[in-house]
């Protein structure tokens, strides 16, 4: 698998992110979704297939990751 060039990616932060800087940024790529720590934009990024990303979003909406 080849590495993706994230240099030209358009990153966005959630509108629900607070002003404390504890945020993640997401970039929608042609064939993937990338996620990075907003405090370390030149650091590593996690890359997901669109299907895995949608599964994560749906799990979040359904409360799958809520603490009990």
């Amino acid at each position: 698998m080849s590495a993706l060039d994230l240099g030209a990616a358009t990153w966005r932060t959630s509108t629900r992110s607070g002003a404390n800087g504890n945020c993640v940024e997401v970039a929608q790529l042609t064939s993937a979704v990338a996620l990075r720590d907003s405090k370390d934009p030149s650091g590593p990024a996690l890359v997901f297939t669109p299907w895995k990303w949608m599964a994560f979003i749906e799990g979040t909406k359904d409360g799958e990751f809520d603490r009990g």
Side-chain angles (χ1 to χ4, degrees):
M1 180 188 307
S2 62
L4 292 172
D5 178 14
L6 300 177
T10 302
W11 295 92
R12 62 183 178 88
T13 303
S14 170
T15 56
R16 293 185 175 222
S17 295
N20 61 3
N22 292 328
C23 308
V24 294
E25 296 175 319
V26 177
Q28 180 69 50
L29 309 171
T30 303
S31 61
V33 177
L35 184 74
R36 71 180 182 186
D37 184 343
S38 63
K39 295 183 301 298
D40 188 12
S42 62
L46 300 173
V47 179
F48 302 92
T49 65
W51 302 276
K52 293 287 187 182
W53 182 251
M54 286 308 302
F56 170 72
I57 296 299
E58 291 304 316
T60 301
K61 288 178 182 178
D62 292 341
E64 183 177 335
F65 309 110
D66 292 352
R67 294 182 179 171

